[in-house]
Amino acid sequence: MIPSGAKLRIIGDVHGDARAFAIAAETDRFVIQLGDLVDDGPDTPGALRVMFRLLHEKRGLFLLGNHDYKLARALRGDNVRNGATARTLDELPADLRDLTFETILAAPLWLASGPLFFVHGAFQPGMLDMSQTSFPTGRPCPLAAFALYGQTTGRVTGAGRPERLLRWIDDIPEGMTVYAGHDQRSTDGRPYVRTGKAGGTAILLDTGAGKGGHLSWIDIDPG
């Protein structure tokens, strides 16, 4: 799915910030967007249109994020807690609904490319041995849930959000770099970088786009 030898641009959570995403997408690099294209920000339909164009031109792909997953379930008619998804559904034009649903269903949960690994929420070593990484048709299996929601304690924070952990970073093998979104850990506006006990590295690119922050991306040349 990633062209062999391609130079890459890795883009963090967009959350409806179509203007920033359009700027980030103007590149001759192959784009890997780490999921959560939708909800929260000012223009989810516009963000989707940018991604549809990249896919049509075979210049990029996006991973399945928990917000994308929730939107597709809502479009399928599942009973989901609405929140930001309710606004997205109101804003989504009728002519985009089928394409949005079909495109989200086709998005992978994670991708591995040599020493590089891409996932929305968090990494587990078992992902390296599991070839089925597409949209969960029922309740997500443990690995799929990890990819979508990250590592959580089962408790909620004072802000009412799931309490998240970063212990998963210690399981990244030496020499591997995991690019993820979902968990906004940055304190200086730049992607958060952390090396785990096994010697692998995680780079978290969610810097708050669509939620009062900005969109971050990193260019890498794997070859």
Side-chain angles (χ1 to χ4, degrees), residues 19-222:
R19 182 176 179 274
F21 188 33
I23 292 170
E26 288 302 315
T27 177
D28 58 357
R29 293 173 175 268
F30 187 82
V31 170
I32 300 176
Q33 196 280 320
L34 296 172
D36 278 5
L37 278 168
V38 306
D39 293 345
D40 296 313
D43 188 8
T44 283
L48 287 165
R49 287 188 176 97
V50 173
M51 193 70 248
F52 296 154
R53 186 178 74 247
L54 288 171
L55 290 166
H56 177 72
E57 296 172 355
K58 302 187 185 307
R59 295 196 298 115
L61 56 83
F62 76 102
L63 302 179
L64 185 64
N66 58 299
H67 282 260
D68 315 308
Y69 175 61
K70 187 176 180 181
L71 176 59
R73 290 179 58 222
L75 288 169
R76 187 172 61 186
D78 292 5
N79 184 20
V80 300
R81 288 185 295 174
N82 283 330
T85 304
R87 182 183 140 201
T88 296
L89 287 170
D90 288 341
E91 295 174 346
L92 198 61
D95 65 327
L96 280 187
R97 289 184 172 233
D98 287 348
L99 180 58
T100 296
F101 178 65
E102 293 166 2
T103 304
I104 293 176
L105 256 61
L109 275 161
W110 60 76
L111 287 171
S113 181
L116 307 179
F117 194 91
F118 308 97
V119 66
H120 176 67
F123 166 84
Q124 275 194 339
M127 294 174 179
L128 297 172
D129 301 319
M130 185 174 175
S131 59
Q132 179 59 38
T133 62
S134 58
F135 192 93
T137 55
R139 186 178 181 86
C141 71
L143 285 181
F146 220 71
L148 289 170
Y149 304 112
Q151 186 179 31
T152 62
T153 64
R155 299 187 294 267
V156 296
T157 67
R161 296 179 178 176
E163 184 180 53
R164 297 169 182 162
L165 301 173
L166 292 179
R167 293 174 186 165
W168 61 270
I169 295 175
D170 290 333
D171 294 328
I172 302 172
E174 184 176 6
M176 176 176 286
T177 301
V178 173
Y179 294 85
H182 186 61
D183 198 347
Q184 188 178 340
R185 295 283 177 151
S186 173
T187 59
D188 59 6
R190 294 179 292 183
Y192 177 84
V193 181
R194 179 166 163 176
T195 299
K197 292 179 180 179
T201 301
I203 301 179
L204 308 185
L205 276 84
D206 185 354
T207 48
K211 298 178 290 184
H214 63 274
L215 183 65
S216 288
W217 62 85
I218 293 176
D219 292 343
I220 57 176
D221 300 339

